[in-house]
Amino acid sequence: SQKIEQNSEALNIQEGKTATLTCNYTNYSPAYLQWYRQDPGRGPVFLLLIRENEKEKRKERLKVTFDTTLKQSLFHITASQPADSATYLCALDIAGGGNKLTFGTGTQLKVEL
Amino acid sequence: GAGVSQSPSNKVTEKGKDVELRCDPISGHTALYWYRQSLGQGLEFLIYFQGNSAPDKSGLPSDRFSAERTGGSVSTLTIQRTQQEDSAVYLCASMRQGITNEKLFFGSGTQLSVL
């Protein structure tokens, strides 16, 4: 069955380091992949979208890569700060209909001083 | 308002009762989604509305769940005869046109607790 996998274990890193989160998916290759941030008690907030013909996308300290051969996206936060601590979710149109986003379970990131 | 608004923010109900959850999407957004998030779990798709098209109800877990969207704006998710396993955060999101190269704008959710 089609699914999206994110590392369910929390990622703890030191302030200033680069955090790398992984999103893997099976079967259908989506045209777009999105990353969201979710803080406790809040809804997810959109961060970045990357298209299948884009290898890499950057926004300030964030970088996303998209490897359609490996069926994997990597999400990087450089010079991480405690304020970056949150759960990060990847989302894609795994059903192929072009209008419904399926989310991964998310990876919790904790940036320590 | 500028964002997606959901009400109530918290709802505690007894098993067997019916509940209604409300979502006000961003004005002008044609697509509206309901997701459910259980403790420590990912977002589970429930239902999707796009303009005047028939809604995609493929994610509704049982016939106790239903949703409507009146006038292409406000949406109500109804859960009849609630069960304890219905306890979760119910998130509503809207999208400008409802195609996956756009971003979703989420509300803060309704925390439903079924005792």
Side-chain angles (χ1 to χ4, degrees), chain B residues 36 44-46 57-65 86:
Chain B
R36 177 170 72 174
E44 175 189 5
F45 167 80
L46 297 178
K57 304 179 182 180
S58 59
L60 294 178
S62 77
D63 58 7
R64 296 186 296 104
F65 288 73
D86 299 334

Side-chain angles (χ1 to χ4, degrees), chain B residues 36 38 44 46-48 52 61 74 95-96 102 111-112:
Chain B
R36 177 170 72 174
S38 301
E44 175 189 5
L46 297 178
I47 188 169
Y48 157 71
N52 296 320
V74 172
M95 189 185 274
R96 191 169 58 90
E102 297 184 345
Q111 172 73 63
L112 175 65

Side-chain angles (χ1 to χ4, degrees), chain A residues 9-104:
Chain A
E9 291 186 13
L11 177 62
N12 295 330
I13 64 167
Q14 276 193 317
E15 182 180 22
K17 301 291 187 184
T18 296
T20 299
L21 288 73
T22 304
C23 175
N24 295 296
Y25 57 92
T26 60
N27 299 347
Y28 179 75
S29 288
Y32 313 96
L33 188 146
Q34 302 188 19
W35 283 89
Y36 288 76
R37 167 183 173 143
Q38 187 173 24
D39 291 282
R42 308 300 300 268
V45 174
F46 172 82
L47 295 175
L48 280 168
L49 177 149
I50 188 166
R51 294 173 169 77
E52 62 178 341
N53 60 351
E54 295 177 316
K55 297 295 185 185
E56 181 180 297
K57 193 82 168 279
R58 292 176 183 263
K59 179 183 176 182
E60 299 173 351
R61 294 184 296 110
L62 309 180
K63 185 180 83 171
V64 171
T65 62
F66 193 10
D67 188 326
T68 55
T69 301
L70 292 178
K71 297 186 186 295
Q72 179 180 81
S73 175
L74 298 179
F75 178 82
H76 306 273
I77 305 175
T78 59
S80 59
Q81 305 166 0
D84 295 326
S85 299
T87 296
Y88 292 86
L89 304 156
C90 67
L92 50 94
D93 171 25
I94 204 164
N99 56 21
K100 187 167 72 184
L101 284 175
T102 300
F103 284 79

